[in-house]
Amino acid sequence: MIQYQVPGTWESCFLDGRLPRLSRVCHIDGDNGWLPRAMHLHGDGAELVYIMDGHGIHMIGDNVYHTGPGDVLIYNVGVPHDERPQGGPLRYFCCGITSLRLKGLAENCIFPPDVEPVLHMGEDGEGVGTLFSMLQETVGQGGQYASEQARFLMISLLLRVL
């Protein structure tokens, strides 16, 4: 048996311990990747994207990134972005995060502006994908405590990325 003791106290990465809110969850299954897109931004919060399958070209701010399975993309509030599939369908999850206050960062920012917004998660990508799948399923099924459960899944995602 392996057992770990969990500390009774910890330091939160959230300013004043205030937890962020989940504003939306999206699952793009590849069939609608052909839809015309345009550069856009979110003025109300940040966004996390997880590439499940396929390859894409993502424009984030003034830069272009080539993305693939297991990649996580971070869009801080107000950062223009767009995505296009490359060579076939692109399947991904995304979630919107509002009321986010991380210590040392502007409101609704996940990373400082000088940090690359694409993370190649490698082996950790599978865990991120599992959390996104659980998040999508929880919101989709609804139920009495679905919003609260989804919020904590999103926080788990965010902490894993951080």
Side-chain angles (χ1 to χ4, degrees):
M1 170 168 74
I2 298 174
Q3 178 175 322
Y4 298 99
Q5 297 297 319
V6 179
T9 60
W10 66 90
E11 182 180 340
S12 177
C13 63
F14 301 110
L15 188 64
D16 300 326
R18 294 183 314 209
L19 301 178
R21 302 193 60 80
L22 176 67
S23 63
R24 65 188 173 282
V25 178
C26 194
H27 175 221
I28 306 300
D29 64 9
D31 291 336
N32 42 11
W34 60 269
L35 293 172
R37 303 277 310 197
M39 288 289 279
H40 64 283
L41 56 86
H42 306 284
D44 63 340
E47 186 174 38
L48 282 179
V49 175
Y50 173 74
I51 308 293
M52 296 181 318
D53 190 40
H55 291 84
I57 297 174
H58 287 77
M59 284 78 53
I60 305 172
D62 295 328
N63 299 307
V64 175
Y65 300 91
H66 294 270
T67 59
D71 287 350
V72 172
L73 292 73
I74 295 113
Y75 305 143
N76 283 337
V77 66
V79 173
H81 57 277
D82 187 26
E83 55 277 331
R84 286 191 314 241
Q86 183 180 30
L90 184 62
R91 295 178 53 236
Y92 58 95
F93 286 113
C94 63
C95 69
I97 304 168
T98 61
S99 303
L100 175 63
R101 291 303 313 256
L102 292 169
K103 291 180 180 176
L105 294 174
E107 186 172 1
N108 292 317
C109 287
I110 298 172
F111 277 46
D114 60 338
V115 172
E116 286 287 317
V118 177
L119 302 175
H120 305 290
M121 298 297 289
E123 293 178 13
D124 287 336
E126 188 174 325
V128 171
T130 298
L131 284 169
F132 258 113
S133 182
M134 291 171 63
L135 180 60
Q136 175 75 24
E137 182 179 311
T138 299
V139 172
Q141 289 179 349
Q144 184 176 5
Y145 301 112
S147 293
E148 186 173 22
Q149 184 180 5
R151 183 180 191 185
F152 285 110
L153 285 167
M154 175 272 299
I155 290 168
S156 294
L157 266 170
L158 184 58
L159 292 173
R160 188 135 190 184
V161 168
L162 291 174

